[in-house]
Amino acid sequence: MARRRGLDHDDVVATTLAIVDRDGLGALSLRAVADALEVQPPSLYSHVDGLTGLLDDCSVAATAEFGEVLRDSVIGVAGEDAIRAFATAYRRWARTHPGRYELSLRPVAGAEKRSVGRSAIATMDTLLAGLGLVDGPATHAGRSLRAALHGFATLEIADALGRGDHDASFDELVALLLDGLRSRAATAI
C-alpha cells in the first residue's frame, strides 16, 4: 500500500461518511477507512481517537451538515410552505445519506454536538413560531414533526413502506402534519 501524503482529519471524516452512506454503519471499521485512504490503520490514530472517536467526529459532522441543509431549505420561504420545504429536505437528505443520517442520531457527549444539533432545532423552532407555536406547544409540535419525518425516512431507507407511490404518501403525511400544526396553533393563542 502506498503512503498517502497530506492526509488530515477532514479526509478521514469525509472518507468515513462516504463509506457509511455506501455500505452502512455496520460495515465501518478502521481497516475499511484505512483501505479507502490507502494507508495503514495505525496512521489513522494521528487524526482520530480510535473508532469511537471517529464515530463521534463523524456524528458531529453529519449533524452539522444536516442542520445546514434544513436551514438552507427554508431560506426565503415562510409559513406552511416552509414546513413543506423543511420536510422535503429532511426526507431527501436522509435518503441520499442514510449512513450520515444514522450518525446524526448517535449521541455524543460534548458541547460541539449539542451546538450543531441546536442549529437544526433552531430552524424548526423558527418555522413553528411562524405558525404561531412557541414555548411548550412548539416543543411538543417540534418533537411530533421530527418523529413523523424520522419514521417515514427510516421506513423508506429500510425499504419497509411497501409498494405504491411513496411520494404521495409523504405528501399526505405532510398534509396531516400541517393540519395538526394549524389546529395546535389555533388552540395555543
Side-chain angles (χ1 to χ4, degrees), residues 125 128 134-144:
D125 287 347
L128 295 171
V134 294
D135 301 323
T139 298
H140 300 305
R143 287 175 183 157
S144 299

Side-chain angles (χ1 to χ4, degrees), residues 52-66:
T52 300
L54 177 60
L55 287 167
D56 289 349
D57 294 350
C58 288
S59 178
V60 170
T63 303
E65 180 182 326
F66 193 26

